[in-house]
Each structure stands twice: as structure tokens, then as C-alpha cells.
Amino acid sequence: MRNTIRQRLIDRIPDINGRVYETDAAAADEDLPYLVLAKGNESEENDWAGSSYMIEVWPYVAHTLFQRVDKLVSEIISALDHQLLTDTDTGESILCRFTGSTSADMLDEKSKAITRGIQFEVFSFGWLLHQPIEPDPVSAMSQWTAQRFVEMQTDPQSWNPSDSSPALYWRTASIRNMQTTNWGAWVDATLRGHMLVPHVSARNIWLERCIRQLALDGHMSMLDQSTMFIQKISADSSQDPFRVGQIAIDVRFGLLRTSPDAMKLDQINFIGGAP
């Protein structure tokens, strides 16, 4: 995926004229500006979200153009932060998240350039894949989100989160209890909502709007037209939107028992009665 990230930077930042290099690959007299892309350690601390890894991007500009570093940093963040990138050869997809600067502005004596490192965390797309089993609470929440907030994006395969059009991804975090009845079973589950919005202030507004609407509605229809009831709602804007999710809701929905197929009759005999 490093080539995919590299190509994204080339496509979105025309001023670098395709100059994106691996660590120490740029020559001392290389034309400025250019970028250096370095991959960091891989992490697997989350058992459901899968692995992630860090990348660093270092923009290099002429040592007399201090403000140009700020502009390039802004362009790099815009090109990668909260963006879904797909490798056209393998079909693999990733999400990138800006995590901060790794250094202040510094002078590189070798290249006679000013540079500053910025860091991104790169997540595999696998954590966003969901295979529904009907009746599916996640599908119900995605449908509810699309109906209540038409600006929100719910399809990870096509989203591009922004402050005005955030992405909201739902998943089943746990099944707390299953109660068998003569007609089927009640299922008590906890769902997590991951709200992706680039800026914190906009994210908090959308988060507040969402949980208030959940509280007012109290229930929603599932795709089989049965009802899913909301039992409890909580939200924490400080939670990691990629790994944990800021919204937690406890829900209850029903599973109907299916009747076994009866054996079909292939012959009917009448005894007695009128001829």
C-alpha cells in the first residue's frame, strides 16, 4: 500500500512534480520541493479492528521558504487524513488518520532544505466489512442513520468523511443475553457507532445530534419489519473513532422461530361417504 499512498500524494500535490522518495533515496542536489515517505511499526493491539501501521511524511522546501512548509503540510493532511485509498492492482483498501507532527521545523544540512515530519496511522479496510445475518441490527442502524441524517455516509466502500458529510459505521460489539420464548428468542446486544469527522468541533456537534435523535426515537424498524428497541444510550467524544467508536447503544430485538417443513402428501384416500 506504500505505492498507493505515494501515488495519492503525487496526484493531490502537483507542486512536488512526482517527487516522493523513500528514506535517504533523495539526492543531495534534488530539486525542491519534494516529499520523503517512511513506514513505521505495525500494531495489532485491537483484536477486532486488525492491524495498523504508522507512516511519516517529510516535506522538503528551500531553506528560505519557511511558510511553504506549512502549506505543504496542510496539503499532505488534506490528501490523506480520513481518506479511503484503494490499490488498483490488488483491490486492498486502507484508511489514513493524521496523528500529529513528529518534529518542529528543522534545517537539513545535506539538502539545504527546511523540513518537518508529520505522522499518519494507516488502518486496513478489513475492520469495516460486515456480513449481515437477518434480522441484522447493524443493517437496521445503517438504515436509521440514512433516514434521519441524509448528509451522513454509511457505506465504507464509497465514503469520504467531511465536516458537513460525516461517516457513521455501526457494528455489533457484544451479545449480552438471549432469552428463549415459545415463539423464538429475545436478543439483547450492544452496538458501537464509529463517527468519522475530520475536526473535533464538528464531530462533537454531529455526535450530540445523533444521540439525541436516538433517545427521541427509542426504537427503529429492522429490514424484516420487526422492531428493535433501544434500552440504553451512551457516548464519549474522547473515544478513538477508528478502534473503539464513540457511541454505545444497548438494544433488544426478536428472532422468530421457523416452522419445520411438513412432509408433503402424495396420495389421498377417502373411506366411506357418498360415491
Side-chain angles (χ1 to χ4, degrees), residues 46-102:
N46 189 297
D47 59 355
W48 71 268
S51 62
S52 64
Y53 59 88
M54 308 300 295
I55 62 166
E56 293 182 7
V57 185
W58 294 77
Y60 284 73
V61 303
H63 69 277
T64 58
L65 302 176
F66 287 90
Q67 291 183 343
R68 182 59 179 141
V69 175
D70 296 333
K71 186 174 185 296
L72 264 181
V73 165
S74 178
E75 291 173 342
I76 294 167
I77 294 172
S78 178
L80 298 180
D81 188 35
H82 283 74
Q83 298 300 304
L84 177 66
L85 308 181
T86 303
D87 188 321
T88 55
D89 294 328
T90 66
E92 181 185 1
S93 296
I94 57 172
L95 279 165
C96 300
R97 176 177 62 172
F98 172 62
T99 59
S101 298
T102 62

Side-chain angles (χ1 to χ4, degrees), residues 202-239:
R203 190 183 312 147
N204 290 341
I205 293 173
W206 281 107
L207 187 62
E208 184 73 17
R209 289 183 60 190
C210 183
I211 61 174
R212 288 189 180 193
Q213 193 63 57
L214 285 168
L216 291 174
D217 287 355
H219 65 274
M220 59 277 300
S221 295
M222 305 188 79
L223 299 188
D224 65 354
Q225 302 307 309
S226 63
T227 300
M228 182 169 70
F229 301 94
I230 300 175
Q231 301 171 310
K232 181 181 177 181
I233 306 168
S234 62
D236 184 349
S237 61
S238 68
Q239 293 287 358

Side-chain angles (χ1 to χ4, degrees), residues 11-12 15 37 45 93 146 176 211 258:
D11 293 343
R12 290 298 185 93
D15 285 355
L37 177 63
E45 72 275 10
S93 296
R176 305 189 319 277
I211 61 174
T258 57

Side-chain angles (χ1 to χ4, degrees), residues 166-179:
L168 182 54
Y169 173 77
W170 294 97
R171 65 180 174 90
T172 301
S174 65
I175 302 295
R176 305 189 319 277
N177 183 51
M178 297 190 74
Q179 179 185 350

Side-chain angles (χ1 to χ4, degrees), residues 32-204:
L32 297 169
Y34 63 83
L35 307 180
V36 171
L37 177 63
K39 182 179 177 181
N41 294 330
E42 189 165 323
S43 171
E44 295 186 4
E45 72 275 10
N46 189 297
D47 59 355
W48 71 268
S51 62
S52 64
Y53 59 88
M54 308 300 295
I55 62 166
E56 293 182 7
V57 185
W58 294 77
Y60 284 73
V61 303
H63 69 277
T64 58
L65 302 176
F66 287 90
Q67 291 183 343
R68 182 59 179 141
V69 175
D70 296 333
K71 186 174 185 296
L72 264 181
V73 165
S74 178
E75 291 173 342
I76 294 167
I77 294 172
S78 178
L80 298 180
D81 188 35
H82 283 74
Q83 298 300 304
L84 177 66
L85 308 181
T86 303
D87 188 321
T88 55
D89 294 328
T90 66
E92 181 185 1
S93 296
I94 57 172
L95 279 165
C96 300
R97 176 177 62 172
F98 172 62
T99 59
S101 298
T102 62
S103 72
D105 291 353
M106 52 191 295
L107 176 63
D108 186 303
E109 295 289 352
K110 172 186 173 183
S111 59
K112 298 295 190 291
I114 297 293
T115 186
R116 183 202 314 163
I118 57 174
Q119 192 173 65
F120 296 85
E121 190 166 16
V122 180
F123 294 84
S124 169
F125 185 62
W127 69 281
L128 295 171
L129 300 180
H130 173 71
Q131 299 297 327
I133 301 177
E134 299 299 342
D136 181 41
V138 170
S139 297
M141 290 309 305
S142 296
Q143 177 179 260
W144 175 87
T145 301
Q147 292 174 345
R148 288 302 192 188
F149 301 99
V150 294
E151 309 94 332
M152 283 192 182
Q153 304 172 62
T154 59
D155 182 5
Q157 299 188 60
S158 61
W159 70 23
N160 182 22
S162 66
D163 288 347
S164 61
S165 183
L168 182 54
Y169 173 77
W170 294 97
R171 65 180 174 90
T172 301
S174 65
I175 302 295
R176 305 189 319 277
N177 183 51
M178 297 190 74
Q179 179 185 350
T180 302
T181 69
N182 59 350
W183 49 264
W186 284 110
V187 180
D188 296 324
T190 297
L191 310 180
R192 301 290 306 199
H194 299 247
M195 185 172 288
L196 276 61
V197 190
H199 295 98
V200 174
S201 57
R203 190 183 312 147
N204 290 341

